[in-house]
Amino acid sequence: MNYVQKLSGHELAPTKAMMRGAATILCVLGIVGALTMGEGISLQGTARGKRIVIAASEALDGKGGVLHDTRIVIEAGKIVAIDAKAGPVDYDLRRLTVLPGWIDAHVHITWSFGPDGKNAGQGGTTPEATYAAASNAYATLMAGFTTVQSVGSPADIPLRDAIARGELAGPRILTAAETINGRGPETGTPEEIRAFVRKQKAAGADVIKIYASGGMRSGTMTLSQEQLNAACDEAKKLGLRTLVHAFRDAVRAATIAGCTEIEHGLGASDEDLKLMAERGTYLDPQAGLLLETYLQYKDRYLAAPYYTEEGFAAMKDLIPAHQDFIKRALKIPGLKIVYGTDAVAGAHGRNAEDFIHRVRDSGVDPMSAMVSANSLGAEALGMSDQIGSITPGLQADIIALDGDPVKDITAVRRVVFVMKGGVVYKNDAPGSR
Ligand SMILES: [Zn+2]
């Protein structure tokens, strides 16, 4: 059985020695990160448990509600009170729109362009690839994403851990480590698949990523119902969620298997989507950023066997197909649609662009778009008690936009304030200290 084959560009299994190398480089990067963070960064803030008060004239609570003229009190990295009378104010974010830090359910944080400018995929653990991954993490955080789920590289693990230790500026990362790449019977017996899931758990995976079908054009199933059942059942037994790359028939099969979330989903019928809604299976579709990125950087991506001229020609038609798919999904009562961009090389730091596609091109209500990346995104990660809304007891992941995304969705491009776990990483807010 070989799970580590090259498939869909999601390849590479670094050796232990390579991973140690990456960890060493990230330690060095930690120092560089601290030096380049600049003003407004106070890593000591959380360590000392300092009390911080934010003044907001308009704050989206992450659950679809709006708080007016209030103050958010933070202690030891957590929100401890919403109290209009609290003071003194440390950060005056009035005139801006305050909301919880966004959650991107699907990124490939290590994917970068290599030194030759070409797509390096997940890039391995060379110094260039490692710095690029750290840069991607920084860009993602600066864009207002305080938590991401990165699905498809064991190289995520040392990056996740360096960020968690506060040595690098980046979003909170949940990772899948190695992925189950469906290849029909060759993928393995159900027992072998269960063993592979256990191996990922032992390696530190937060979630299991499964490729149950081919790419968006062919989309044929690459795992049997039995294989999918084994993967998602074993993960569940271990307390892990499962994310399944699925098009067409694989959507129904993954839903029946009890998997947590369907990635992409194009080609699913209304009946499939209704079954997802019934079972509480989350849907994570993409509205435009991914294909737009591929087309924008076509010269950098063009390479056999996955990125061909033929494939690029088909992408243009796939953009409206994705938009129509989301429009159709919106009509399914109770279907839980989360926000995941599938950010690859060239898309990191532009994660918010998919909000614009969703609202402008797919008819998603702007407040629902925000909630999909806040409380609903947190629920899909099983982290509602930690992130995703402005609620006492939760992590102080707070961002501010110059503009109101409910009135003008392009405001998502103007992130001027970023706090994660009570630490301010960006503060371009006028009138703030
Ligand atoms: Zn992906």
Side-chain angles (χ1 to χ4, degrees), residues 96 400-404 408 410-417 426:
L96 302 169
L401 313 181
D402 183 5
D404 182 349
D408 168 17
T410 66
V412 297
R413 289 178 175 149
R414 299 188 295 278
V415 174
V416 293
F417 180 88
K426 181 181 196 175

Side-chain angles (χ1 to χ4, degrees), residues 208-416:
I208 299 295
K209 172 75 188 288
I210 301 162
Y211 289 87
S213 71
M216 52 182 91
R217 281 187 297 147
S218 65
T220 48
M221 274 182 74
T222 55
L223 285 174
S224 67
Q225 184 70 57
E226 199 189 12
Q227 287 172 318
L228 264 173
N229 291 351
C232 292
D233 179 63
E234 189 66 23
K236 202 173 276 176
K237 280 183 182 153
L238 298 171
L240 294 179
R241 294 166 300 109
T242 36
L243 264 58
V244 185
H245 163 112
F247 292 99
R248 299 185 178 84
D249 296 344
V251 173
R252 174 165 286 262
T255 306
I256 290 169
C259 309
T260 315
E261 184 172 304
I262 305 293
E263 306 306 303
H264 321 309
L266 198 70
S269 68
D270 283 3
E271 291 310 308
D272 298 337
L273 296 174
K274 280 180 193 155
L275 185 67
M276 287 179 67
E278 267 168 41
R279 301 279 177 102
T281 314
Y282 296 92
L283 175 65
D284 175 22
Q286 287 72 45
L289 170 64
L290 175 69
L291 291 171
E292 188 181 75
T293 301
Y294 282 146
L295 290 166
Q296 182 180 346
Y297 295 109
K298 182 184 165 188
D299 295 347
R300 294 173 172 222
Y301 273 103
L302 207 55
Y306 306 112
Y307 301 103
T308 59
E309 284 287 358
E310 190 199 3
F312 276 101
M315 276 181 205
K316 292 201 175 76
D317 300 331
L318 283 167
I319 293 177
H322 278 80
Q323 292 165 355
D324 290 346
F325 175 62
I326 294 177
K327 283 181 193 163
R328 197 151 56 77
L330 287 174
K331 294 192 184 119
I332 307 296
L335 180 60
K336 295 193 270 195
I337 305 175
V338 298
Y339 188 80
T341 62
D342 206 357
V344 291
H348 304 292
R350 298 195 300 126
N351 310 58
E353 291 295 315
D354 223 57
F355 285 127
I356 299 171
H357 286 288
R358 285 180 183 217
V359 170
R360 187 190 61 200
D361 308 326
S362 297
V364 174
D365 161 68
M367 186 62 98
S368 302
M370 294 300 100
V371 171
S372 72
N374 285 152
S375 60
L376 186 63
E379 181 196 305
L381 299 182
M383 294 176 76
S384 294
D385 58 343
Q386 297 168 61
I387 56 171
S389 67
I390 298 184
T391 304
L394 268 58
Q395 291 288 324
D397 290 0
I398 294 169
I399 62 171
L401 313 181
D402 183 5
D404 182 349
V406 177
K407 295 190 186 107
D408 168 17
I409 194 62
T410 66
V412 297
R413 289 178 175 149
R414 299 188 295 278
V415 174
V416 293

Side-chain angles (χ1 to χ4, degrees), residues 2-317:
N2 176 16
Y3 291 108
V4 194
Q5 78 281 27
K6 299 200 181 288
L7 186 88
S8 316
H10 296 65
E11 65 272 25
L12 191 84
T15 63
K16 281 216 174 82
M18 285 162 81
M19 298 299 283
R20 275 198 297 275
T24 308
I25 292 160
L26 285 167
C27 288
V28 175
L29 266 174
I31 298 162
V32 178
L35 289 174
T36 54
M37 282 174 201
E39 282 184 16
I41 307 287
S42 53
L43 284 169
Q44 314 90 313
T46 37
R48 288 192 199 136
K50 188 178 158 292
R51 187 170 185 270
I52 300 169
V53 177
I54 291 175
S57 49
E58 187 186 348
L60 310 186
D61 68 2
K63 297 182 278 196
V66 186
L67 306 165
H68 294 283
D69 301 317
T70 194
R71 292 178 181 177
I72 305 165
V73 185
I74 293 138
E75 277 176 14
K78 288 188 173 178
I79 299 166
V80 294
I82 311 292
D83 176 3
K85 293 192 179 67
V89 172
D90 297 284
Y91 296 95
D92 183 356
L93 304 182
R94 292 175 299 173
R95 296 180 301 281
L96 302 169
T97 304
V98 172
L99 67 159
W102 289 314
I103 299 162
D104 191 328
H106 187 145
V107 303
H108 297 276
I109 202 83
T110 62
W111 289 33
S112 312
F113 296 123
D116 62 355
K118 297 278 188 187
N119 172 38
Q122 53 181 267
T125 50
T126 62
E128 288 81 1
T130 311
Y131 281 115
S135 302
N136 292 344
Y138 183 74
T140 303
L141 181 63
M142 290 302 111
F145 288 80
T146 47
T147 302
V148 300
Q149 191 157 244
S150 186
V151 288
S153 174
D156 293 341
I157 292 174
L159 180 62
R160 173 194 69 185
D161 295 348
I163 292 169
R165 288 192 300 266
E167 295 166 2
L168 263 184
R172 196 177 283 106
I173 295 177
L174 283 78
T175 179
E178 286 179 80
T179 59
I180 298 179
N181 299 328
R183 297 192 308 152
E186 246 185 280
T187 321
T189 64
E191 267 321 304
E192 286 171 321
I193 288 172
R194 286 177 186 276
F196 182 80
V197 170
R198 290 194 293 271
K199 188 178 146 212
Q200 298 321 306
K201 166 91 176 177
D206 303 293
V207 59
I208 299 295
K209 172 75 188 288
I210 301 162
Y211 289 87
S213 71
M216 52 182 91
R217 281 187 297 147
S218 65
T220 48
M221 274 182 74
T222 55
L223 285 174
S224 67
Q225 184 70 57
E226 199 189 12
Q227 287 172 318
L228 264 173
N229 291 351
C232 292
D233 179 63
E234 189 66 23
K236 202 173 276 176
K237 280 183 182 153
L238 298 171
L240 294 179
R241 294 166 300 109
T242 36
L243 264 58
V244 185
H245 163 112
F247 292 99
R248 299 185 178 84
D249 296 344
V251 173
R252 174 165 286 262
T255 306
I256 290 169
C259 309
T260 315
E261 184 172 304
I262 305 293
E263 306 306 303
H264 321 309
L266 198 70
S269 68
D270 283 3
E271 291 310 308
D272 298 337
L273 296 174
K274 280 180 193 155
L275 185 67
M276 287 179 67
E278 267 168 41
R279 301 279 177 102
T281 314
Y282 296 92
L283 175 65
D284 175 22
Q286 287 72 45
L289 170 64
L290 175 69
L291 291 171
E292 188 181 75
T293 301
Y294 282 146
L295 290 166
Q296 182 180 346
Y297 295 109
K298 182 184 165 188
D299 295 347
R300 294 173 172 222
Y301 273 103
L302 207 55
Y306 306 112
Y307 301 103
T308 59
E309 284 287 358
E310 190 199 3
F312 276 101
M315 276 181 205
K316 292 201 175 76
D317 300 331

